[in-house]
Amino acid sequence: MPDKNLNGLLVHTLKDVYFAENAILKALPKMAKAAKEPALQKAFQTHLQQTEGHVVRLETVFKLLKLKPEGVPCEAIKGILKEGDEVGEEFDGGSALDAGLIAAAQAVEHYEIARYGALKAWATELGLGQAANLFGETLTEEEATDELLTGLSKKSNKMAVAA
Protein backbone atom coordinates (compact mmCIF):
# COMPACT_ATOMS: atom_id res chain seq x y z
CA MET A 1 0.00 0.00 0.00
CA PRO A 2 1.46 3.40 -0.97
CA ASP A 3 2.16 6.09 1.57
CA LYS A 4 -0.83 8.41 1.89
CA ASN A 5 1.28 11.55 1.61
CA LEU A 6 2.31 13.77 -1.31
CA ASN A 7 5.20 11.49 -2.23
CA GLY A 8 2.85 8.49 -2.36
CA LEU A 9 0.44 10.46 -4.51
CA LEU A 10 3.23 11.46 -6.86
CA VAL A 11 4.38 7.85 -7.23
CA HIS A 12 0.83 6.61 -7.83
CA THR A 13 0.19 9.32 -10.44
CA LEU A 14 3.57 8.63 -12.06
CA LYS A 15 2.53 4.99 -12.51
CA ASP A 16 -0.88 6.09 -13.79
CA VAL A 17 0.67 8.40 -16.39
CA TYR A 18 3.20 5.74 -17.39
CA PHE A 19 0.29 3.40 -18.16
CA ALA A 20 -1.51 6.20 -20.00
CA GLU A 21 1.46 7.15 -22.17
CA ASN A 22 1.99 3.53 -23.19
CA ALA A 23 -1.70 3.22 -24.08
CA ILE A 24 -1.47 6.42 -26.12
CA LEU A 25 1.53 4.97 -27.99
CA LYS A 26 -0.78 2.21 -29.21
CA ALA A 27 -3.63 4.57 -30.11
CA LEU A 28 -1.75 7.23 -32.09
CA PRO A 29 -0.86 5.06 -35.12
CA LYS A 30 -4.55 4.15 -35.49
CA MET A 31 -5.53 7.80 -35.28
CA ALA A 32 -2.91 8.81 -37.85
CA LYS A 33 -4.13 6.11 -40.21
CA ALA A 34 -7.78 7.11 -39.77
CA ALA A 35 -7.20 10.85 -40.31
CA LYS A 36 -7.93 12.17 -43.80
CA GLU A 37 -6.17 15.55 -43.66
CA PRO A 38 -2.39 15.19 -44.23
CA ALA A 39 -1.61 17.88 -41.64
CA LEU A 40 -3.57 15.94 -39.03
CA GLN A 41 -1.84 12.69 -39.96
CA LYS A 42 1.50 14.46 -39.54
CA ALA A 43 0.43 15.93 -36.17
CA PHE A 44 -0.46 12.45 -34.89
CA GLN A 45 2.83 11.01 -36.18
CA THR A 46 4.81 13.84 -34.59
CA HIS A 47 2.99 13.36 -31.30
CA LEU A 48 3.75 9.64 -31.47
CA GLN A 49 7.47 10.49 -31.54
CA GLN A 50 7.00 12.96 -28.69
CA THR A 51 5.11 10.36 -26.67
CA GLU A 52 8.02 7.97 -27.04
CA GLY A 53 10.13 10.70 -25.47
CA HIS A 54 7.55 11.18 -22.70
CA VAL A 55 7.89 7.51 -21.80
CA VAL A 56 11.68 7.86 -21.64
CA ARG A 57 11.32 10.91 -19.36
CA LEU A 58 8.95 9.00 -17.09
CA GLU A 59 11.42 6.12 -16.93
CA THR A 60 14.09 8.63 -15.94
CA VAL A 61 11.88 9.87 -13.10
CA PHE A 62 11.36 6.29 -11.95
CA LYS A 63 15.16 5.89 -11.83
CA LEU A 64 15.55 9.15 -9.92
CA LEU A 65 13.08 7.83 -7.36
CA LYS A 66 14.84 4.44 -7.33
CA LEU A 67 11.70 2.69 -8.55
CA LYS A 68 11.06 0.14 -11.27
CA PRO A 69 9.11 1.64 -14.18
CA GLU A 70 5.61 0.21 -13.98
CA GLY A 71 2.12 1.36 -14.69
CA VAL A 72 -1.13 1.04 -12.84
CA PRO A 73 -4.30 0.71 -14.92
CA CYS A 74 -5.68 4.13 -15.75
CA GLU A 75 -9.41 3.90 -16.24
CA ALA A 76 -9.59 7.55 -17.31
CA ILE A 77 -7.30 7.11 -20.32
CA LYS A 78 -8.94 3.80 -21.20
CA GLY A 79 -12.28 5.59 -21.36
CA ILE A 80 -10.98 8.56 -23.33
CA LEU A 81 -9.29 6.27 -25.87
CA LYS A 82 -12.41 4.10 -26.12
CA GLU A 83 -14.48 7.18 -26.93
CA GLY A 84 -11.95 8.11 -29.61
CA ASP A 85 -12.25 4.64 -31.13
CA GLU A 86 -16.04 4.94 -31.13
CA VAL A 87 -15.90 8.31 -32.91
CA GLY A 88 -13.46 6.88 -35.46
CA GLU A 89 -15.75 3.94 -36.17
CA GLU A 90 -19.02 5.87 -36.20
CA PHE A 91 -17.81 8.72 -38.42
CA ASP A 92 -15.47 6.73 -40.68
CA GLY A 93 -15.94 7.97 -44.24
CA GLY A 94 -17.85 11.04 -43.10
CA SER A 95 -16.93 14.69 -43.34
CA ALA A 96 -16.77 15.04 -39.54
CA LEU A 97 -14.20 12.27 -38.99
CA ASP A 98 -11.17 14.55 -38.63
CA ALA A 99 -13.10 16.95 -36.39
CA GLY A 100 -14.04 14.03 -34.16
CA LEU A 101 -10.49 12.66 -34.10
CA ILE A 102 -9.16 16.08 -33.12
CA ALA A 103 -11.70 16.38 -30.31
CA ALA A 104 -10.76 12.91 -29.07
CA ALA A 105 -7.06 13.77 -29.24
CA GLN A 106 -7.66 16.98 -27.32
CA ALA A 107 -9.44 15.05 -24.59
CA VAL A 108 -6.24 13.01 -24.25
CA GLU A 109 -4.11 16.16 -24.25
CA HIS A 110 -6.23 17.83 -21.59
CA TYR A 111 -5.94 14.75 -19.39
CA GLU A 112 -2.18 14.75 -19.83
CA ILE A 113 -1.90 18.49 -19.21
CA ALA A 114 -3.76 18.06 -15.92
CA ARG A 115 -1.59 15.15 -14.84
CA TYR A 116 1.77 16.67 -15.81
CA GLY A 117 0.82 19.99 -14.23
CA ALA A 118 0.05 18.24 -10.94
CA LEU A 119 3.18 16.08 -11.12
CA LYS A 120 5.37 19.12 -11.77
CA ALA A 121 3.85 21.01 -8.83
CA TRP A 122 4.17 18.03 -6.50
CA ALA A 123 7.76 17.31 -7.53
CA THR A 124 8.62 20.97 -6.94
CA GLU A 125 6.98 20.87 -3.50
CA LEU A 126 8.91 17.70 -2.64
CA GLY A 127 12.24 19.21 -3.70
CA LEU A 128 12.56 16.89 -6.70
CA GLY A 129 13.86 19.56 -9.06
CA GLN A 130 15.10 17.24 -11.79
CA ALA A 131 11.78 15.36 -11.88
CA ALA A 132 9.88 18.67 -11.87
CA ASN A 133 11.93 19.82 -14.87
CA LEU A 134 11.21 16.58 -16.76
CA PHE A 135 7.48 16.87 -16.03
CA GLY A 136 7.65 20.51 -17.14
CA GLU A 137 9.26 19.60 -20.47
CA THR A 138 6.48 17.14 -21.20
CA LEU A 139 3.82 19.59 -20.03
CA THR A 140 5.14 22.18 -22.49
CA GLU A 141 4.97 19.66 -25.35
CA GLU A 142 1.43 18.60 -24.40
CA GLU A 143 0.27 22.22 -24.34
CA ALA A 144 1.87 22.85 -27.74
CA THR A 145 0.16 19.79 -29.19
CA ASP A 146 -3.17 21.00 -27.84
CA GLU A 147 -2.63 24.39 -29.51
CA LEU A 148 -1.70 22.69 -32.79
CA LEU A 149 -4.85 20.58 -32.64
CA THR A 150 -6.95 23.68 -31.97
CA GLY A 151 -5.51 25.27 -35.10
CA LEU A 152 -6.16 22.15 -37.17
CA SER A 153 -9.72 21.93 -35.87
CA LYS A 154 -10.70 25.18 -37.57
CA LYS A 155 -10.23 23.67 -41.01
CA SER A 156 -11.72 20.27 -40.14
CA ASN A 157 -14.76 21.87 -38.51
CA LYS A 158 -15.41 23.99 -41.63
CA MET A 159 -15.04 20.91 -43.84
CA ALA A 160 -17.51 18.99 -41.65
CA VAL A 161 -20.08 21.80 -41.92
CA ALA A 162 -19.61 22.30 -45.66
CA ALA A 163 -20.19 18.66 -46.58
Side-chain angles (χ1 to χ4, degrees), residues 2-81:
D3 291 333
K4 293 186 178 187
N5 57 24
L6 191 58
N7 188 67
L9 184 58
L10 181 138
V11 169
H12 175 79
T13 305
L14 174 63
K15 292 177 179 183
D16 179 271
V17 170
Y18 188 68
F19 177 96
E21 291 288 19
N22 280 290
I24 293 163
L25 280 176
K26 294 174 187 162
L28 281 167
K30 290 191 309 188
M31 294 176 83
K33 186 177 178 184
K36 301 302 176 211
E37 182 63 35
L40 182 55
Q41 292 171 347
K42 183 178 181 204
F44 287 146
Q45 291 163 347
T46 298
H47 197 57
L48 175 64
Q49 293 170 341
Q50 287 178 333
T51 302
E52 291 168 348
H54 300 167
V55 170
V56 169
R57 284 189 197 123
L58 291 172
E59 290 171 347
T60 300
V61 172
F62 278 109
K63 287 178 189 169
L64 290 170
L65 299 176
K66 297 178 177 34
L67 298 170
K68 175 185 166 203
E70 62 181 343
V72 294
C74 174
E75 297 305 319
I77 205 67
K78 286 181 185 180
I80 291 169
L81 293 175

Side-chain angles (χ1 to χ4, degrees), residues 12-163:
H12 175 79
T13 305
L14 174 63
K15 292 177 179 183
D16 179 271
V17 170
Y18 188 68
F19 177 96
E21 291 288 19
N22 280 290
I24 293 163
L25 280 176
K26 294 174 187 162
L28 281 167
K30 290 191 309 188
M31 294 176 83
K33 186 177 178 184
K36 301 302 176 211
E37 182 63 35
L40 182 55
Q41 292 171 347
K42 183 178 181 204
F44 287 146
Q45 291 163 347
T46 298
H47 197 57
L48 175 64
Q49 293 170 341
Q50 287 178 333
T51 302
E52 291 168 348
H54 300 167
V55 170
V56 169
R57 284 189 197 123
L58 291 172
E59 290 171 347
T60 300
V61 172
F62 278 109
K63 287 178 189 169
L64 290 170
L65 299 176
K66 297 178 177 34
L67 298 170
K68 175 185 166 203
E70 62 181 343
V72 294
C74 174
E75 297 305 319
I77 205 67
K78 286 181 185 180
I80 291 169
L81 293 175
K82 183 179 179 199
E83 278 186 4
D85 286 344
E86 289 169 358
V87 167
E89 291 170 13
E90 189 170 336
F91 290 90
D92 186 30
S95 63
L97 175 63
D98 280 357
L101 290 173
I102 290 170
Q106 285 190 290
V108 170
E109 292 308 311
H110 293 179
Y111 174 81
E112 291 179 299
I113 288 166
R115 287 296 190 221
Y116 283 108
L119 285 166
K120 179 182 176 189
W122 297 338
T124 300
E125 187 67 29
L126 292 165
L128 303 170
Q130 193 173 355
N133 290 340
L134 291 167
F135 294 139
E137 288 177 38
T138 301
L139 178 60
T140 298
E141 289 178 359
E142 300 293 7
E143 291 169 337
T145 297
D146 184 50
E147 287 181 33
L148 173 64
L149 291 169
T150 295
L152 292 172
S153 73
K154 293 178 177 140
K155 181 177 180 182
S156 67
N157 292 346
K158 286 183 192 306
M159 291 174 63
V161 169

